[in-house]
Protein backbone atom coordinates (compact mmCIF):
# COMPACT_ATOMS: atom_id res chain seq x y z
CA UNK A 1 0.00 0.00 0.00
CA UNK A 2 1.24 3.46 -0.87
CA UNK A 3 0.55 6.09 1.82
CA UNK A 4 0.57 9.74 0.79
CA UNK A 5 0.05 12.98 2.66
CA UNK A 6 -2.24 15.47 0.96
CA UNK A 7 -3.84 18.72 2.03
CA UNK A 8 -7.23 20.10 1.01
CA UNK A 9 -7.43 20.80 -2.74
CA UNK A 10 -4.42 18.58 -3.48
CA UNK A 11 -4.76 15.54 -5.74
CA UNK A 12 -3.15 12.32 -6.78
CA UNK A 13 -3.42 10.74 -10.22
CA UNK A 14 -3.82 7.01 -10.80
CA UNK A 15 -2.97 5.84 -14.29
CA UNK A 16 -3.84 8.36 -16.97
CA UNK A 17 -7.47 8.99 -16.14
CA UNK A 18 -8.27 8.70 -12.42
CA UNK A 19 -7.86 11.73 -10.18
CA UNK A 20 -8.44 11.68 -6.43
CA UNK A 21 -8.75 15.09 -4.75
CA UNK A 22 -8.93 15.89 -1.05
CA UNK A 23 -11.89 18.24 -0.86
CA UNK A 24 -12.03 18.95 2.86
CA UNK A 25 -10.47 17.85 6.13
CA UNK A 26 -12.62 18.42 9.20
CA UNK A 27 -11.44 16.78 12.43
CA UNK A 28 -11.12 13.05 11.74
CA UNK A 29 -13.29 13.18 8.62
CA UNK A 30 -11.88 13.62 5.13
CA UNK A 31 -14.00 14.36 2.03
CA UNK A 32 -12.55 12.84 -1.11
CA UNK A 33 -13.53 13.57 -4.70
CA UNK A 34 -12.90 11.00 -7.43
CA UNK A 35 -12.84 11.70 -11.17
CA UNK A 36 -12.83 8.49 -13.18
CA UNK A 37 -14.21 7.31 -16.52
CA UNK A 38 -17.73 5.88 -16.39
CA UNK A 39 -16.25 2.50 -17.32
CA UNK A 40 -14.40 2.37 -13.98
CA UNK A 41 -16.69 1.39 -11.11
CA UNK A 42 -16.09 3.29 -7.86
CA UNK A 43 -17.68 1.98 -4.65
CA UNK A 44 -17.35 2.52 -0.93
CA UNK A 45 -15.77 -0.62 0.52
CA UNK A 46 -18.87 -1.72 2.45
CA UNK A 47 -21.04 -1.44 -0.68
CA UNK A 48 -18.47 -3.35 -2.74
CA UNK A 49 -18.41 -6.15 -0.15
CA UNK A 50 -22.23 -6.40 -0.22
CA UNK A 51 -22.20 -6.64 -4.02
CA UNK A 52 -19.46 -9.27 -3.91
CA UNK A 53 -21.38 -11.36 -1.35
CA UNK A 54 -24.65 -11.07 -3.31
CA UNK A 55 -22.85 -12.21 -6.48
CA UNK A 56 -21.33 -15.16 -4.64
CA UNK A 57 -24.75 -16.20 -3.29
CA UNK A 58 -26.40 -15.83 -6.69
CA UNK A 59 -23.69 -17.91 -8.35
CA UNK A 60 -24.00 -20.59 -5.68
CA UNK A 61 -27.79 -20.74 -6.04
CA UNK A 62 -27.49 -20.99 -9.82
CA UNK A 63 -24.94 -23.82 -9.65
CA UNK A 64 -27.09 -25.78 -7.19
CA UNK A 65 -30.20 -25.32 -9.33
CA UNK A 66 -28.31 -26.43 -12.45
CA UNK A 67 -26.98 -29.52 -10.67
CA UNK A 68 -30.48 -30.46 -9.49
CA UNK A 69 -31.79 -30.11 -13.06
CA UNK A 70 -28.90 -32.16 -14.40
CA UNK A 71 -29.53 -35.11 -12.08
CA UNK A 72 -33.34 -35.29 -12.44
Amino acid sequence: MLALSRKANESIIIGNDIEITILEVKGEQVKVGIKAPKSVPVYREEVYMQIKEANKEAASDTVQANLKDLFK
Side-chain angles (χ1 to χ4, degrees):
M1 175 187 292
L2 173 64
L4 299 171
S5 296
R6 300 277 72 199
K7 296 178 183 174
N9 300 313
E10 293 183 337
S11 299
I12 62 170
I13 305 296
I14 300 174
N16 293 323
D17 51 7
I18 300 173
E19 179 180 0
I20 299 175
T21 304
I22 304 303
L23 301 175
E24 180 181 6
V25 180
K26 194 184 266 186
E28 293 187 17
Q29 188 175 44
V30 178
K31 284 190 180 178
V32 177
I34 302 168
K35 288 183 189 174
K38 290 188 183 284
S39 62
V40 176
V42 178
Y43 302 107
R44 295 188 330 252
E45 181 183 19
E46 62 272 16
V47 172
Y48 174 77
M49 296 307 286
Q50 289 175 349
I51 293 168
K52 188 174 173 182
E53 187 61 32
N55 287 343
K56 189 189 304 184
E57 288 177 17
S60 176
D61 292 345
T62 301
V63 168
Q64 289 178 8
N66 288 343
L67 285 173
K68 285 181 183 176
D69 290 342
L70 183 65
F71 291 110
K72 281 186 177 179

